[in-house]
């Protein structure tokens, strides 16, 4: 999959998600903010409703995960051929989400980002924690943290 | 939604999931083991594939969440009219899943279950941690823990 870089626009990146991760289409994900420093994904209420007419917790987690993975993806695929995998995550559901929602991945602090890039460059692999937030009427509704590992591909 | 009890068979419970949580249909969930003491949900590889031809981490989390929620649901809805919500979860992705998979929710230890039921009975609400596991060729691939809150509905 290496070769798809930030030269993609957000519609192309949206197509890439739908094609490669079909659940992203079922979730109804629409790429919202698409940059190296900030990435957010929108999802509609109707695709993700549950029996209580709130958004299913599994959907909130999935969209938050994809927002972090996507931010990492567009920052790293320009640098090296590599694989990005999630190793762990923790999510807090602070209040119900009852409408269309946006998961926003927050760029990590400069220091931890540079440490991660340096380890990745020197050792061929590195791990980083990324956070995503989902707000409901300006209140924090979902607080997510995922740990992602990037591993450079060996040259053939 | 109160009124759907363990008198449902597993096909009826499957229909209930599809109807009330449409993402469960996109995930391709099939109720596998369906009892008060053990609950497992199957999901097909093809619905949940990602760009690396492994199962998307968001799908693994969603199916694990639903397996725990379902076990709690069939145990509690016979007792009281109540709502069950997830408040928090933690998931470890220990190895990639590369085939159809099963998320199995493990019934909690007797002592913590009885403590939970007693608090729920007396205070009208209680919290419990539930675990789910996903295996790949007999090795633990996904280790999930969710915290769920049950809240009795007030009589009208």
């Amino acid at each position: 999959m290496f070769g798809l870089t930030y030269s993609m626009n957000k519609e192309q990146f949206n197509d890439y998600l739908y094609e490669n991760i079909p659940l992203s289409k079922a979730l109804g994900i629409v790429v919202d903010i698409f940059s190296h420093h900030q990435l957010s994904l929108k999802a509609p209420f109707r695709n993700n409703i549950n029996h209580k007419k709130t958004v299913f917790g599994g959907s909130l987690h999935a969209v938050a995960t994809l927002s972090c993975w996507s931010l990492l993806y567009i920052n790293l695929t320009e640098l090296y051929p590599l694989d990005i995998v999630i190793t762990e995550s923790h999510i807090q559901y602070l209040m119900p989400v009852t409408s269309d929602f946006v998961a926003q991945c927050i760029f990590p602090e400069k220091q931890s980002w540079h440490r991660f890039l340096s380890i990745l460059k020197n050792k061929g692999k590195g791990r980083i924690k990324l956070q995503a937030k989902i707000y409901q009427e300006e209140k924090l509704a979902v607080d997510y943290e995922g740990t992602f590992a990037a591993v450079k591909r060996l040259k053939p």
Side-chain angles (χ1 to χ4, degrees), chain A residues 47-127:
Chain A
N47 294 41
N48 297 296
I49 200 166
N50 70 10
H51 60 294
K52 287 176 52 60
K53 312 294 175 217
T54 65
V55 176
F56 167 48
S59 293
L60 296 166
H61 180 276
V63 180
T65 299
L66 279 173
S67 74
C68 293
W69 179 85
S70 299
L71 184 72
L72 215 47
Y73 182 86
I74 65 169
N75 274 283
L76 296 180
T77 51
E78 290 179 352
L79 303 178
Y80 313 106
L82 47 68
D83 293 312
I84 303 164
V85 295
I86 182 164
T87 64
E88 190 167 349
S89 75
H90 179 239
I91 186 164
Q92 286 180 284
Y93 301 99
L94 304 170
M95 54 183 282
V97 176
T98 57
S99 61
D100 298 350
F101 62 97
V102 175
Q104 184 178 332
C105 176
I106 293 146
F107 198 79
E109 284 182 14
K110 246 183 181 173
Q111 203 183 354
S112 71
W113 180 251
H114 288 299
R115 196 187 320 121
F116 164 68
L117 284 187
S118 155
I119 293 172
L120 178 60
K121 185 179 173 188
N122 295 324
K123 301 202 168 173
K125 56 187 178 183
R127 278 179 190 236

Side-chain angles (χ1 to χ4, degrees), chain A residues 10-20 31:
Chain A
K10 76 178 172 183
E11 288 72 25
Q12 289 167 325
F13 186 71
N14 218 138
D15 291 345
Y16 173 74
L17 288 179
Y18 280 16
E19 202 172 302
N20 288 279
V31 179

